[in-house]
């Protein structure tokens, strides 16, 4: 996917302050978490910067942390250059773009939608599932109907120019690879905390490119792509959804933190577990991002290339995650 390799470079920016070298990939060591003062917003990948900016604006205007994580990832859902989030994302193998999203608050409230078509902001629909229904997840046609009933406009089903070009290229071989590699995924997961320590998270994606029609990844599954508990912390995931679902990745990380691990240690343990439970690991990329209630955060991935955006008082910028395999 275009733009992915650029993540490897250390794009450390923010308020004129460079991140200390100790935060770069090589020394993002086992027990070295990073701590940020509250409030705090973290998001996966480069597109997390713009999303964090928006989340920050929302928080600064006095709105809640759940408003911030919803509004933040809407920026990515709207980004026409992004081929893995929103309706401009790469389609499934039938040429149809279907979206997955989830949202969760630290008090346990959560909502999700999966396999949704024509809805520009699945994260907002997920929020309404959380707030207006007795359910946690609504999928497919039901989610589309719920969107209509809630007054969401349904978008026309046409691929974006970029997605259409990529899909035509893929069709030449129609090689079906139900694995994700370092190049073809970019979900946004955002986790954050307000100045009172209340947490929330959001996760939204068009999922694995050229997936089977109906395939759902980890992102809308509470405990896999996202988990938040005010008593402990929050975690989100990106990468091959199947590998993350197999280990309930985000829930696992929060539970490890509950048992005393730092966010960094918990992310590393989740990656080791994922490696142990998945075959063909050379072709699987997955990354985790976690935050504990003290404002300490960490990240880790299977392969190099994962990074995340941080935003807290006095600091904003990208951080490269360490990885289990070094090259
Ligand atoms: N986790 C997403 C999925 O499997 C893909 C991604 O991270 O881009 O659907």
């Amino acid at each position: 996917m275009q733009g992915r390799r650029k993540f490897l470079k250390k794009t450390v920016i923010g308020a004129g302050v460079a991140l200390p070298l100790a935060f770069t990939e090589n020394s993002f060591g086992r027990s070295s978490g990073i701590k940020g003062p509250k409030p705090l917003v973290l998001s996966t990948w480069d597109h997390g910067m713009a999303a964090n900016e928006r989340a920050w604006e929302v928080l600064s205007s006095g709105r809640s942390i759940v408003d911030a994580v919803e509004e933040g990832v809407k920026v990515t859902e709207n980004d026409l250059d992004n081929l893995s989030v929103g309706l401009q994302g790469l389609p499934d193998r039938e040429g149809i773009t279907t979206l997955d999203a989830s949202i969760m608050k630290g008090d346990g409230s959560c909502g999700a939608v999966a396999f949704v078509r024509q809805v520009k902001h699945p994260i907002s629909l997920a929020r309404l599932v959380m707030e207006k229904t007795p359910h946690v997840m609504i999928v497919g046609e039901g989610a589309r109907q719920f969107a209509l009933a809630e007054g969401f406009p349904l978008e026309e089903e046409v691929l974006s120019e970029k997605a259409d070009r990529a899909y035509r290229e893929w069709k030449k071989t129609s090689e079906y690879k139900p694995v994700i590699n370092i190049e073809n995924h970019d979900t946004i997961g955002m986790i954050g905390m307000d100045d009172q320590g209340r947490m929330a998270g959001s996760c939204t994606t068009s999922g694995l490119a050229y997936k089977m029609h109906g395939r759902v990844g980890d992102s809308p599954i509470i405990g896999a792509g996202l988990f938040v508990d005010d008593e402990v912390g929050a975690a989100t995931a990106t990468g091959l959804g199947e590998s993350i679902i197999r280990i309930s990745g985000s829930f696992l990380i929060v539970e490890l933190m509950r048992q005393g691990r730092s966010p960094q240690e918990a992310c590393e343990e989740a990656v080791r577990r994922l490696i142990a439970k998945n075959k063909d690991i050379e072709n699987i990329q997955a990354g985790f991002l976690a935050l504990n209630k003290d404002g300490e955060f960490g990240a880790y991935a299977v392969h190099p290339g994962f990074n995340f955006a941080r935003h807290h008082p006095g600091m904003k910028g990208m951080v490269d995650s360490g990885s289990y395999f070094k090259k």
Side-chain angles (χ1 to χ4, degrees), residues 84 180 185-187 205 207-208 215 217-219 238-241 244:
S84 48
I180 232 160
H185 59 92
D186 263 358
T187 291
T205 190
L208 179 58
R215 179 267 188 189
D218 60 305
S219 311
T238 179
L240 182 66
I244 296 160

Side-chain angles (χ1 to χ4, degrees), residues 124-189:
S124 301
L125 196 57
R127 180 160 179 187
L128 290 190
V129 172
M130 170 171 83
E131 290 177 348
K132 291 199 164 177
T133 79
H135 308 302
V136 165
M137 184 187 272
I138 300 185
V139 308
E141 180 53 24
R144 211 180 62 101
Q145 280 171 19
F146 179 55
L148 265 181
E150 289 299 329
F152 284 57
L154 293 185
E155 307 294 321
E156 222 187 307
E157 272 193 310
V158 277
L159 293 182
S160 67
E161 215 180 292
K162 272 188 171 177
D164 188 49
R165 213 176 312 125
Y167 179 59
R168 280 167 199 274
E169 198 49 41
W170 174 79
K171 283 270 273 193
K172 289 184 186 158
T173 55
S174 297
E175 194 188 356
Y176 183 55
K177 270 202 200 154
V179 290
I180 232 160
N181 62 30
I182 326 293
E183 306 292 333
N184 66 354
H185 59 92
D186 263 358
T187 291
I188 184 153

Side-chain angles (χ1 to χ4, degrees), residues 96-271:
I96 300 166
T97 305
T98 66
L99 306 178
D100 299 338
S102 62
I103 193 159
M104 186 165 193
K105 286 164 62 177
D107 65 359
S109 335
C110 52
V113 291
F115 188 43
V116 196
R117 294 160 72 160
Q118 296 179 270
V119 174
K120 193 171 184 179
H121 290 301
I123 196 64
S124 301
L125 196 57
R127 180 160 179 187
L128 290 190
V129 172
M130 170 171 83
E131 290 177 348
K132 291 199 164 177
T133 79
H135 308 302
V136 165
M137 184 187 272
I138 300 185
V139 308
E141 180 53 24
R144 211 180 62 101
Q145 280 171 19
F146 179 55
L148 265 181
E150 289 299 329
F152 284 57
L154 293 185
E155 307 294 321
E156 222 187 307
E157 272 193 310
V158 277
L159 293 182
S160 67
E161 215 180 292
K162 272 188 171 177
D164 188 49
R165 213 176 312 125
Y167 179 59
R168 280 167 199 274
E169 198 49 41
W170 174 79
K171 283 270 273 193
K172 289 184 186 158
T173 55
S174 297
E175 194 188 356
Y176 183 55
K177 270 202 200 154
V179 290
I180 232 160
N181 62 30
I182 326 293
E183 306 292 333
N184 66 354
H185 59 92
D186 263 358
T187 291
I188 184 153
M190 177 182 281
I191 48 181
M193 182 163 59
D194 67 15
D195 53 5
Q196 303 299 308
R198 285 178 294 246
M199 283 186 255
S202 57
C203 192
T204 177
T205 190
S206 53
L208 179 58
Y210 320 127
K211 59 196 176 188
M212 278 177 73
H213 190 60
R215 179 267 188 189
V216 169
D218 60 305
S219 311
I221 298 180
I222 298 298
L226 179 68
F227 198 73
V228 186
D229 182 343
D230 275 348
E231 287 171 21
V232 180
T236 190
T238 179
L240 182 66
E242 286 74 3
S243 71
I244 296 160
I245 294 170
R246 269 183 204 115
I247 62 156
S248 295
S250 295
F251 179 73
L252 172 64
I253 289 170
V254 172
E255 290 312 296
L256 287 166
M257 294 194 294
R258 195 188 303 276
Q259 291 160 22
R261 310 275 184 110
S262 71
Q264 182 62 30
E265 287 168 339
C267 288
E268 293 188 16
E269 179 59 28
V271 164

